[in-house]
Amino acid sequence: MSTDTAAPEVEPTPTRKPRKWIKRTLIAIAAVIVFLLALIITVLLYFRIPSNSAGLAAQTVCSGTFVSGRNADDVFTQDVLPQSPALSIVKTSADPATRSVTAKFLWIVERRASLLPNRGCVLDVDPDSSAQPFTAQSENPAPWPAGDAALPPAQWGPGVNVAGLQKVVDDAFVGSGDPTAANARGIAVIHDGKLLIQKQGTGFPKSTPLLGWSMTKTVNMMILYKKAQETNFDLNQLVINAFPPNREPSWVADWRKDSRKSLIKVSDLMFMRSGLDMEDDYGPQGKVVQMLYGEPSMAAFAASQRMLDDPGKLWAYSTGSSDILSQIAQGMFPNDQEYWQYWQNAVFGPIGINTGVFATDTSGTWVGGSYIWASTGDWAKLGQLMLNDGAWGSQQVVPKGWWKLAGVPAMPDGDGHGYGAQTWIPGQPVGGECKSDAGVPKDTLSMDGHYGQLVAMVPSKKAVIVRLGWTIDKTKFDGCQFMSDVLANLPDAK
């Protein structure tokens, strides 16, 4: 009889199934992530941030590459990225064959800017094979303004502090090339019609066209003034009467129906007192950003804004007003081709500017508040032309009276008393932006740009001062102090 006993059977361990709560949790987390992504994208699209960011990148890189002759990657790194870290998610691609740049905001939005003949780089248009990109020319050794050369210090004339002026200019280039610093790119000092000194930042030769931003406003108005004088156009007439029927934009009909907009005069736009709710704001949701990078017609966008006050009562600095003025100028021409060529034929060409570009918006109107490019020396020519009240040698390029009009205060007091016809009056004791700096004379007029661009014209010193740069942090450059420091080294006019 066997004493062996059977071993008890061991049941296999059942395979554990995933717990349902883990699966449900993972699904819930994924749903939340998808929801949040959708919400973020919806918010971005609602505020047009992807489209405007791509538009900014495309327009900036296209202009830097094909208008200024710079490397596309350098333009993105040096000009686009410093404006906002968020722009790092935008990717750009330059096509030299079509003279265009495409910018993509993630996978959401794609925009393209193309170089067009006589119109600069324009958003959302097809490329034009006849457009010619900027090609740097060799320096002309003749003295400015006939050539590019500055005078040697021995010829600067009596009363000029040579060492002092050179130091001021050298000091102004501290931080050049650093987007977090003052970042100067070009400086020129003119005295008694002669170029005393010009200095350029690394990577920006003398011939490089540089963006003037809001310095464009003054030149735009000077061009409009010339055309108005040629055609007996009344600058004090109502805007609703300023267009011939076949050149009238659609928004004019809306203005006629509005009890306050119908009373806006061309001069109200000139002096920034239209009453339109279009004061400059460059934040991500700002109206200027939307106008520059999101609207086919910048003038129409500005004209569509509500009224804050009756015309003539409220001064508010407005790029939109300048763009409406550009469209008023457009209406003075029988066709757009003549309009697009006028600035070169009537003003830039006669004073020897060969690096200038005046860009348009998609609809074909000059971007009169922002988009003129020119070299440092050519910006100096525009300043000298104004200082000469439109005279250039023996030729009266701009009719007399422009200097006087530019310096008429927009308002009887307040900040508007320091602003004229699309031109700053910085030394004005009431309202002048340099009123607290005794070194800036009362007779100074200036063009000022958004990123520290400056052309100052000073009759009492027979001086023109040009400063071009890309100063994102406005605390890094004090234009009033710079003007004062330069002028302290120049003699008074006799």
Side-chain angles (χ1 to χ4, degrees):
M1 182 174 181
S2 172
T3 59
D4 294 338
T5 58
E9 294 184 4
V10 179
E11 295 184 3
T13 303
T15 303
R16 292 187 177 183
K17 296 181 179 180
R19 295 185 179 181
K20 293 183 177 180
W21 69 268
I22 296 178
K23 185 176 182 180
R24 287 196 297 266
T25 300
L26 292 174
I27 293 174
I29 292 172
V32 169
I33 291 173
V34 171
F35 171 78
L36 290 175
L37 286 174
L39 180 62
I40 291 170
I41 292 172
T42 300
V43 170
L44 289 173
L45 290 173
Y46 177 79
F47 289 111
R48 303 177 182 177
I49 291 174
S51 179
N52 290 343
S53 297
L56 181 156
Q59 205 286 332
T60 303
V61 175
C62 179
S63 299
T65 304
F66 301 116
V67 171
S68 296
R70 298 164 58 199
N71 176 272
D73 292 336
D74 290 344
V75 177
F76 186 80
T77 301
Q78 298 169 7
D79 293 11
V80 176
L81 284 182
Q83 297 186 56
S84 171
L87 291 169
S88 61
I89 63 176
V90 178
K91 304 301 179 186
T92 59
S93 175
D95 184 354
T98 60
R99 286 88 169 179
S100 65
V101 170
T102 300
K104 296 181 181 180
F105 187 100
L106 297 177
W107 67 93
I108 303 173
V109 173
E110 179 177 304
R111 302 282 300 279
R112 180 174 63 179
S114 302
L115 181 69
L116 300 182
N118 301 309
R119 294 178 60 187
C121 280
V122 182
L123 282 168
D124 306 323
V125 296
D126 292 331
D128 186 329
S129 59
S130 67
Q132 295 300 312
F134 172 76
T135 302
Q137 303 295 316
S138 57
E139 288 189 21
N140 184 335
W144 182 96
D148 301 313
L151 292 178
Q155 299 179 24
W156 285 7
V160 178
N161 182 349
V162 174
L165 183 58
Q166 289 175 330
K167 184 178 188 307
V168 170
V169 173
D170 288 342
D171 288 348
F173 276 87
V174 173
S176 180
D178 180 357
T180 67
N183 201 18
R185 291 180 173 177
I187 288 176
V189 178
I190 313 297
H191 179 251
D192 199 16
K194 307 178 190 69
L195 175 62
L196 303 188
I197 188 169
Q198 180 175 350
K199 186 170 182 175
Q200 297 293 126
T202 301
F204 297 91
K206 280 187 176 182
S207 64
T208 305
L210 296 171
L211 178 58
W213 277 121
S214 288
M215 296 201 302
T216 301
K217 293 176 172 65
T218 307
V219 181
N220 180 56
M221 189 61 229
M222 179 164 58
I223 294 168
L224 172 55
Y225 174 82
K226 177 179 171 72
K227 186 62 178 178
Q229 295 296 303
E230 291 174 345
T231 59
N232 295 316
F233 180 91
D234 183 5
L235 293 171
N236 285 311
Q237 68 179 296
L238 296 174
V239 173
I240 58 174
N241 297 331
F243 296 90
N246 65 330
R247 298 288 282 171
E248 183 178 285
S250 59
W251 55 263
V252 176
D254 296 328
W255 276 33
R256 288 198 179 95
K257 301 172 188 175
D258 189 295
S259 60
R260 294 201 286 183
K261 288 183 177 181
S262 62
L263 300 178
I264 299 175
K265 298 177 181 179
V266 177
S267 54
D268 290 324
L269 296 168
M270 288 165 45
F271 291 104
M272 303 289 193
R273 59 189 187 207
S274 68
L276 288 166
D277 184 11
M278 195 60 206
E279 190 168 9
D280 277 19
D281 176 5
Y282 287 86
Q285 302 170 36
K287 290 181 180 178
V288 175
V289 173
Q290 174 60 29
M291 181 176 69
L292 287 172
Y293 307 115
E295 299 294 331
S297 171
M298 299 187 194
F301 177 78
S304 71
Q305 303 305 306
R306 68 188 181 98
M307 293 290 287
L308 289 176
D309 207 336
D310 293 336
K313 292 187 176 181
L314 175 69
W315 184 83
Y317 186 77
S318 168
T319 295
S321 293
S322 306
D323 293 332
I324 296 174
L325 286 170
S326 290
Q327 196 160 58
I328 291 171
Q330 189 173 13
M332 297 179 182
F333 296 84
N335 58 70
D336 285 344
Q337 285 295 336
E338 290 187 30
Y339 167 67
W340 294 333
Q341 296 171 3
Y342 181 77
W343 57 269
Q344 177 64 34
N345 294 337
V347 177
F348 284 42
I351 66 174
I353 290 179
N354 54 24
T355 65
V357 171
F358 199 167
T360 77
D361 62 16
T362 305
S363 74
T365 303
W366 297 331
V367 185
S370 310
Y371 282 173
I372 286 180
W373 283 257
S375 68
T376 306
D378 282 348
W379 277 110
K381 291 177 184 178
L382 290 166
Q384 189 67 47
L385 180 67
M386 275 197 67
L387 187 64
N388 296 345
D389 196 18
W392 196 259
S394 61
Q395 185 179 2
Q396 192 68 42
V397 175
V398 176
K400 291 182 178 180
W402 163 238
W403 175 269
K404 181 178 180 180
L405 177 63
V408 173
M411 302 297 282
D413 52 35
D415 290 343
H417 198 68
Y419 193 80
Q422 301 286 289
T423 307
W424 293 94
I425 318 173
Q428 173 59 245
V430 178
E433 58 183 352
C434 301
K435 61 186 177 183
S436 61
D437 195 323
V440 178
K442 296 178 183 178
D443 63 352
T444 304
L445 296 183
S446 69
M447 318 177 198
D448 293 10
H450 181 55
Y451 285 149
Q453 295 86 358
L454 173 69
V455 175
M457 301 145 286
V458 190
S460 58
K461 291 282 190 174
K462 291 187 177 180
V464 175
I465 303 167
V466 179
R467 190 269 185 184
L468 293 159
W470 206 255
T471 311
I472 305 295
D473 184 348
K474 298 183 185 303
T475 66
K476 301 297 185 180
F477 173 67
D478 185 337
C480 297
Q481 186 64 57
F482 177 66
M483 283 188 279
S484 180
D485 290 345
V486 170
L487 294 172
N489 292 284
L490 299 178
D492 293 336
K494 295 181 180 180

